[in-house]
Amino acid sequence: MHDFRKRRIICLSIIGTAALVLPLWVTNYSTRDSVAAFPELEDIEDAEFRRFLMEQTADQSYEMMEIPEWLLGDTSGEEYTKNLEAAMAAAIDDSKRSSGPKTIAPYDLAELENARSLFSNTLGVVVYDPAEDDFLFFYSKNTIWASACTKLSSAFDGFTIMARETFPERFQGPGSEEFAIAISSGDYPHISPHCTNFPHVSDKCSGSHAPILAFGSVFQSAEIFPNMMAMPMPTGEHIHCFKNFAQSKSVCLQMQVKEGPDGPKGAQVFGEEFGLKWEDLIPQVVWRGTDFNYLNLLIPDLRRARINGDLVKELESTEEANKKAVLIKGMREIYDNMYPRWQSVILTAESEVEAAEKGTLPWANMKFTGPAGMMKKEAQQYDLFAKYGIDSIGESIGRAELAKYKYHIDLGGGGGTTWTGTIQKLAMPGLLFHHMTPTKDYILDVMKPWIHFIPVASHLGDLKEKVAWAESHPQAAKMIADQGSAMMRGWSTTEGYGEMFDAVFKQPFQMALDAYQPVSSAHPGLSWKDVMEKEYSHMVKVKACVGRKNNSRGSGGGCRHYASKINKRMTPFPLKKK
C-alpha cells in the first residue's frame, strides 16, 4: 500500500493540483492512453493508474484521506485525552471556516441554454411565470426522456413547493419578475460526451456559470461544474422531508428518533434509546445491501465478480479444504476490475480466513442481501461462490440489529453513493467509514471527514488499515462516532433540521435568486416567452405546478401535465381528457 501511495503522490505532482482528473469518464480513451500522455507514469500498472484516477483529483483530497497526525500516537494517559479534545475542537473550527457559501455569477434565462447543453439527458429548465403564478418545467425534445427523468419530475414537484414556501415574497404572481433555473436529477449527472477533454473538463463546459440545482448525486470535485449545487435526492428521507419542513416547519418521521425497540414513531436508531454502549458493540465492519451496478456509465470497465473459465477448472481439481483460498487468490487477480461492493465481499472472505487461523472474530462482515433488478437472473453465481467457500450472501440485518455493530460502511451503488445508508448509519452508535467515490450527495457538504466519519478510498484498499487504527485508538474512534450521531440527533429537532435546510437549500437558492437577471433588464423590450421561443425552440413544456401544499389548486388536484411525448422514444405523461 505504501509503495502505491508513493507512486500516487508522483502522479499528483505531475498532473498538478490545478489539473482536473475525470476518472475514466471518457469512453474513447483507454487507461494506457492516459499513461501515454504522461511518460513519467509508464511504470505504473493500468489498474493502479485507473485506481488513482477514480480516487482523487488533487493533493488536498489525498491529504484528506490520510489519518491526521493529531489522531495518531500514544493513546494512554490524561495528556492524550486533553490533546485529542483540543485538536478535535480546532478541527471543527477549521471546518466551519473552510465551508463558506459559494458565489454565483449573474446569469439570465438565455444563458441556461449553455448549462442545458452540458447534459446528454435528465436536465430541465424551470421558469416561474408571474402571469399564471405557476412554475413551468421544460425539457429538450433533442434528448431522450431517460428512466431517471421520473426522478427529475419528482424533484421538480418538490422544488416548486420548497421555493414558494421558503421565498413567498419572491413568487407573488402578477407584479413579480419571472425566474429561471436549471435542475437535474438521477443517480449522477448525465453529462454530455463533449464535456470531456481528458484529463480535464472541456473549456465549453467549465465556462458555464449558470447554476444547476442537482437533485441527486454530484461530482466529488468542486472543480467539475462548480455551478452545480447538490440538492436533496427525490426519496423519502430527502426531498420529501425537505418539502415537509418547508410547508410545516416540522421534522418528518424518517428523521425522528425511534424511542427504543418498541417505541412509537421515528426511524432513526440511536444508541441511547436502544441501550447500546460503545464498549459492547460488535467490533466488525458490517454492511448489507444489494448487488447493484456502480457508476457503470462513467466507469464502464468495472464489473461484478464471476467464476468461469480456467478458474472453474482449477477449483474443481483442488481439495475441498483449499478451495476457498484458491478462489480468493483468483478474485484478488481481478480485484481492481470489480465493483466496490464485490471488493468488500472479497475483503470479508479474506478476513474470515485470517480469523479462522487466529481464532478471532473476522474484522469484516460485508455481504449482499441479494441481487438487484436484472441481476436476479444470474443468481446462480452466488451459489457458485458459496460452493467454493465464499458466502457472498449474508443474513438480513434490520436497522436495530445493525446498530449493535461498532463499524459501518455506506458502500456506493449505481450513482456512487447510497442515498439512504449514510444518514441511517451516522445516527447509530458505531463509527461510519464513508465510501469516498467520484460522486457525493448533499450531506457530504455538511458532514466532515475525521470529525463525523472516517473516509475510505473507492477501492477500499485502506479500509483494513483504518479499522485497525480505530481498534487501537478507541477513544478517538468513539469521539468521531459520537459526533456523527450528535449531528443526526440534531437533525431530528426543528432547530437542527432548520439549520441544515438553510445550509443545503435556502442559502444556495437565495444566491441563485440574487444572481438571476430578469428578461426586463437582460433583454429590454422582450418577454421571457420571447426569449424561450428564440433560444429554446427545442424545449417542450412538460408540466406546471403551483408550488403550494401538495401542489394543488383548491379542489383541482395536482400538477398539470402538457407533453404526451418528448420524442419518439419515450412518453413521460399520458394526457388526461379534460
Side-chain angles (χ1 to χ4, degrees):
M1 182 180 297
H2 295 294
D3 289 341
F4 172 69
R5 284 178 178 169
K6 292 177 182 178
R7 292 198 292 270
R8 183 168 60 178
I9 293 173
I10 294 172
C11 292
L12 288 163
S13 64
I14 294 170
I15 297 178
T17 59
L20 192 55
V21 179
L22 285 174
L24 286 190
W25 299 334
V26 191
T27 57
N28 59 330
Y29 284 86
S30 68
T31 304
R32 182 52 59 196
D33 291 332
S34 307
V35 174
F38 303 98
E40 298 88 344
L41 306 180
E42 288 182 355
D43 62 326
I44 299 178
E45 295 296 324
D46 280 0
E48 288 184 327
F49 192 81
R50 178 187 60 75
R51 176 186 294 182
F52 156 69
L53 294 178
M54 285 177 58
E55 228 181 295
Q56 305 304 330
T57 59
D59 287 309
Q60 182 179 1
S61 298
Y62 168 68
E63 291 170 0
M64 181 265 285
M65 297 293 294
E66 293 292 283
I67 302 174
E69 290 293 332
W70 56 271
L71 286 175
L72 298 172
D74 185 8
T75 63
S76 60
E78 294 183 3
E79 192 66 24
Y80 171 78
T81 301
K82 186 185 300 182
N83 292 340
L84 177 63
E85 292 174 347
M88 180 63 76
I92 292 173
D93 288 341
D94 184 63
S95 71
K96 291 178 180 177
R97 287 193 295 270
S98 62
S99 59
K102 298 178 181 178
T103 58
I104 299 178
Y107 75 98
D108 59 49
L109 176 58
E111 290 177 57
L112 288 177
E113 169 59 18
N114 193 19
R116 188 215 59 78
S117 67
L118 309 183
F119 281 66
S120 58
N121 60 70
T122 324
L123 182 135
V125 171
V126 176
V127 177
Y128 172 68
D129 178 11
E132 297 295 329
D133 197 20
D134 268 338
F135 293 90
L136 308 177
F137 175 56
F138 295 87
Y139 193 81
S140 175
K141 60 186 178 183
N142 293 337
T143 59
I144 66 168
W145 183 267
S147 59
C149 286
T150 302
K151 298 173 183 175
L152 178 60
S153 177
S154 178
F156 167 70
D157 295 357
F159 163 70
T160 61
I161 291 176
M162 291 159 59
R164 190 185 289 277
E165 294 286 346
T166 308
F167 297 96
E169 70 285 351
R170 175 60 178 83
F171 305 107
Q172 290 286 326
S176 296
E177 297 279 8
E178 97 286 341
F179 173 76
I181 196 165
I183 67 170
S184 70
S185 189
D187 289 345
Y188 51 83
H190 291 260
I191 61 171
S192 176
H194 77 260
C195 281
T196 52
N197 179 24
F198 189 84
H200 306 282
V201 174
S202 72
D203 292 338
K204 179 177 180 180
C205 297
S206 61
S208 174
H209 60 262
I212 300 172
L213 302 183
F215 292 88
S217 302
V218 301
F219 296 121
Q220 186 78 241
S221 172
E223 296 179 70
I224 305 176
F225 305 127
N227 53 325
M228 190 179 296
M229 296 179 286
M231 292 283 118
M233 297 78 79
T235 61
E237 292 94 337
H238 303 294
I239 198 169
H240 298 300
C241 288
F242 272 67
K243 181 175 66 175
N244 174 78
F245 186 83
Q247 292 175 317
S248 64
K249 296 298 182 287
S250 64
V251 180
C252 62
L253 286 175
Q254 293 96 321
M255 297 302 297
Q256 292 182 25
V257 179
K258 183 168 179 59
E259 300 291 343
D262 302 315
K265 298 183 178 181
Q268 290 284 62
V269 176
F270 293 89
E272 182 178 343
E273 285 73 15
F274 282 73
L276 301 174
K277 297 181 179 180
W278 172 264
E279 56 270 19
D280 298 328
L281 299 178
I282 302 169
Q284 283 185 314
V285 181
V286 65
W287 177 82
R288 289 294 184 274
T290 56
D291 183 6
F292 207 80
N293 291 333
Y294 173 78
L295 294 174
N296 58 316
L297 295 181
L298 297 182
I299 314 175
D301 63 329
L302 296 185
R303 58 185 175 84
R304 293 176 173 85
R306 288 290 176 268
I307 304 175
N308 47 40
D310 293 338
L311 182 56
V312 173
K313 296 178 182 178
E314 183 178 0
L315 286 166
E316 288 299 324
S317 62
T318 300
E319 293 183 3
E320 194 67 31
N322 298 325
K323 288 185 186 295
K324 186 172 185 177
V326 171
L327 179 54
I328 290 175
K329 180 177 179 293
M331 291 300 102
R332 262 297 169 183
E333 293 175 357
I334 61 172
Y335 181 90
D336 287 320
N337 294 323
M338 292 182 190
Y339 292 153
R341 291 186 176 185
W342 267 102
Q343 291 174 331
S344 77
V345 169
I346 303 308
L347 290 175
T348 295
E350 290 177 336
S351 75
E352 291 169 349
V353 171
E354 181 181 336
E357 294 172 352
K358 297 180 178 179
T360 58
L361 186 71
W363 67 266
N365 183 2
M366 301 176 285
K367 299 185 179 185
F368 297 120
T369 54
M374 295 298 292
M375 274 305 300
K376 292 180 180 179
K377 63 183 181 182
E378 299 185 33
Q380 66 271 18
Q381 274 290 330
Y382 309 112
D383 295 334
L384 198 57
F385 270 87
K387 175 183 177 181
Y388 297 124
I390 294 182
D391 292 318
S392 58
I393 303 293
E395 75 282 9
S396 179
I397 305 178
R399 208 185 294 193
E401 287 298 310
L402 203 64
K404 296 179 181 179
Y405 287 80
K406 187 171 287 186
Y407 306 118
H408 303 275
I409 187 167
D410 53 352
L411 293 171
T417 68
T418 68
W419 281 24
T420 58
T422 303
I423 60 173
Q424 293 174 1
K425 294 171 182 179
L426 265 181
M428 294 175 183
L431 176 64
L432 174 65
F433 291 87
H434 177 61
H435 190 207
M436 301 293 289
T437 73
T439 58
K440 66 175 183 177
D441 299 329
Y442 72 90
I443 188 175
L444 201 62
D445 292 333
V446 183
M447 58 191 248
K448 304 299 178 183
W450 304 107
I451 295 174
H452 302 111
F453 67 91
I454 305 298
V456 294
S458 60
H459 56 78
L460 309 181
D462 56 351
L463 178 58
K464 184 178 181 181
E465 173 191 7
K466 288 175 177 175
V467 172
W469 168 84
E471 282 288 275
S472 62
H473 294 75
Q475 191 173 351
K478 182 179 183 299
M479 182 180 292
I480 296 171
D482 288 348
Q483 287 170 166
S485 294
M487 184 173 74
M488 288 297 100
R489 189 178 288 275
W491 288 13
S492 71
T493 68
T494 302
E495 180 182 1
Y497 198 92
E499 291 176 356
M500 185 272 294
F501 180 92
D502 289 351
V504 173
F505 176 72
K506 185 176 181 179
Q507 293 170 13
F509 190 54
Q510 178 70 71
M511 288 190 290
L513 290 171
D514 294 341
Y516 182 71
Q517 307 296 299
V519 170
S520 60
S521 60
H523 305 277
L526 297 179
S527 69
W528 72 264
K529 292 182 179 180
D530 293 332
V531 175
M532 286 295 294
E533 184 176 348
K534 178 181 179 182
E535 302 288 343
Y536 298 95
S537 59
H538 56 87
M539 300 291 276
V540 177
K541 183 167 67 173
V542 176
K543 63 193 299 189
C545 293
V546 67
R548 292 192 176 92
K549 188 174 183 180
N550 296 324
N551 267 316
S552 64
R553 289 179 176 271
S555 60
C559 301
R560 287 101 62 218
H561 299 153
Y562 292 95
S564 61
K565 185 173 290 186
I566 294 296
N567 50 42
K568 294 180 180 180
R569 297 187 60 181
M570 191 67 69
T571 302
F573 306 109
L575 284 177
K576 297 180 180 179
K577 294 183 179 180
K578 296 183 178 180

